[in-house]
Amino acid sequence: GESVGLHLPTLSVQEGDNSIINCAYSNSASDYFIWYKQESGKGPQFIIDIRSNMDKRQGQRVTVLLNKTVKHLSLQIAATQPGDSAVYFCAENKGAGKSTFGDGTTLTVKP
Amino acid sequence: GAVVSQHPSRVICKSGTSVKIECRSLDFQATTMFWYRQFPKKSLMLMATSNEGSKATYEQGVEKDKFLINHASLTLSTLTVTSAHPEDSSFYICSAKTDSYEQYFGPGTRLTVT
């Protein structure tokens, strides 16, 4: 069946270190993936997306890597800051724009 | 940037009453809006897809008579939780999209049924 999941439910990093959050998906037909950040009590906030015809996409301090061979997606955050503490979700965008969300990884940044 | 609002942000209602939640796209016209439900420390679960002027499409297991969705215009969709019960307490989030892939999420509505 289709599912989008994350490897680890929690991740703790030191301020200034790089963070890597992973996600595995099972639908090889998926063609669009998104990473969202959700702070407590708020809606998801778009971070970065990637289409299946790409392997890597970079934004400001963030990079998304897509490995279609093993159906794996990762989000790298450079120089992690306290403001990056949140829950991070990967999502697979299916037909008609519907997104299937993974379980989320809670990132905690220690000062 | 594209902004989606929800109203109210928090609501407390008594068991058996109905509650309406509004979702508005403030600076763009949304061809499609989605309603999600999120339990504490859990992921977002898609409840239904709403297209302007047509009936909503509900996900499997979501009762359409309990969660009434109306998408009256290209900037407004409403979710009405009818005859609410404590198990309906949750965080409800809407999102809106144009013809592109990108979705824009609202800030969510915290519903507590007592």
Side-chain angles (χ1 to χ4, degrees):
Chain A
E2 298 177 9
S3 67
V4 181
L6 289 169
H7 291 307
L8 292 174
T10 61
L11 176 65
S12 182
V13 299
Q14 206 69 36
E15 181 179 358
D17 288 351
N18 297 333
S19 302
I20 299 176
I21 301 172
N22 296 304
C23 175
Y25 65 96
S26 60
N27 187 350
S28 57
S30 299
D31 63 355
Y32 180 62
F33 304 89
I34 318 102
W35 280 101
Y36 293 98
K37 173 186 180 183
Q38 186 179 29
E39 296 174 315
S40 181
K42 298 183 179 180
Q45 176 187 354
F46 173 91
I47 300 174
I48 194 168
D49 59 1
I50 188 167
R51 297 186 189 275
S52 60
N53 61 354
M54 302 173 69
D55 297 321
K56 179 180 180 179
R57 189 156 189 236
Q58 286 185 293
Q60 194 172 19
R61 280 201 308 120
V62 294
T63 301
V64 55
L65 298 178
L66 176 62
N67 185 331
K68 293 180 287 293
T69 302
V70 295
K71 290 184 281 189
H72 182 268
L73 192 69
S74 69
L75 175 70
Q76 300 177 4
I77 305 173
T80 315
Q81 303 168 0
D84 295 327
S85 294
V87 181
Y88 290 82
F89 293 97
C90 65
E92 164 197 5
N93 201 322
K94 301 193 288 187
K98 295 196 297 185
S99 289
T100 300
F101 281 74
D103 293 333
T105 290
T106 300
L107 175 65
T108 302
V109 182
K110 297 177 288 186
Chain B
V3 179
V4 176
S5 70
Q6 283 185 240
H7 178 79
S9 58
R10 290 177 178 270
V11 58
I12 301 172
C13 71
K14 293 190 175 182
S15 188
T17 62
S18 295
V19 174
K20 180 185 285 188
I21 303 170
E22 292 186 349
C23 176
R24 293 181 185 271
S25 57
L26 298 185
D27 50 2
F28 68 101
Q29 292 188 325
T31 53
T32 306
M33 287 184 170
F34 302 93
W35 286 96
Y36 294 84
R37 181 175 182 177
Q38 187 177 31
F39 291 103
K41 299 189 184 300
K42 296 293 184 182
S43 186
L44 282 74
M45 291 173 42
L46 180 65
M47 299 174 67
T49 302
S50 169
N51 291 295
E52 185 265 340
S54 61
K55 289 183 179 180
T57 303
Y58 290 81
E59 295 298 302
Q60 191 173 9
V62 178
E63 299 177 58
K64 63 179 178 17
D65 294 330
K66 179 161 188 66
F67 298 100
L68 299 178
I69 292 172
N70 184 281
H71 194 156
S73 75
L74 285 171
T75 59
L76 173 64
S77 176
T78 60
L79 167 68
T80 301
V81 182
T82 62
S83 186
H85 291 284
E87 58 265 29
D88 298 324
S89 298
S90 193
F91 194 50
Y92 291 89
I93 305 171
C94 73
S95 71
K97 68 180 291 291
T98 60
D99 292 333
S100 70
Y101 273 106
E102 291 185 29
Q103 285 187 54
Y104 303 96
F105 284 83
T109 296
R110 173 75 58 193
L111 170 64
T112 303
V113 185
T114 60

